[in-house]
Amino acid sequence: MFSVVVRQDARGVVFALRGELDFESAVQLHEAGEQELGRGPGVGPVVADCSDLEFCDSSGVGALVRFFQQLSAQGRALRLACVPDSVARLFSLTGLDQVFSVHADVSDALVAGTGGREIVAPGAAGADKPVQPSGGQGT
């Protein structure tokens, strides 16, 4: 079973992902993301807290990539926190570890990049900004 719990933080928005993110549950992430995007331009990053993510297959990774692209189109960043080893390995194998900004915990993810450098998809609003390296050890 999969769930997404969204909470506002003074520094951004946190999406707590719980359970198995796969083909059947990816729609829940998409719907939660659409609700956030529907609020209009937000302030701060969006952090996917993966600490309770038990499993993620290629469909789940695809859902995260689509969410990343949607946020980037609005000039916002998607940061991942507490990524389980199995998912981190999948990102490494696919090269997504070079795309996603991955952090040890939610707090680090919320404050990373406050120097104005965000990861955004090519062609998105703000894409002319330098890309923060994966691992985002802050600025």
Side-chain angles (χ1 to χ4, degrees), residues 22-113:
D22 57 18
F23 178 77
E24 291 181 11
S25 61
V27 69
Q28 291 173 311
L29 177 60
H30 175 75
E31 289 171 353
E34 287 292 314
Q35 281 187 319
E36 175 59 29
L37 292 166
R39 296 180 203 276
V43 177
V46 173
V47 175
D49 177 0
C50 301
S51 58
D52 291 324
L53 189 62
E54 298 168 4
F55 174 81
C56 184
D57 69 4
S58 61
S59 298
V61 171
L64 288 168
V65 169
R66 282 187 299 280
F67 192 31
F68 167 84
Q69 291 170 332
Q70 290 170 319
L71 288 166
S72 292
Q74 287 190 355
R76 296 180 73 189
L78 174 63
R79 300 180 186 149
L80 307 180
C82 308
V83 176
D85 289 341
S86 60
V87 178
R89 242 186 333 268
L90 184 57
F91 289 164
S92 178
L93 289 171
T94 59
L96 289 172
D97 60 339
Q98 300 300 308
V99 174
F100 287 122
S101 178
V102 180
H103 303 271
D105 60 46
V106 172
S107 183
D108 286 349
L110 285 167
V111 299

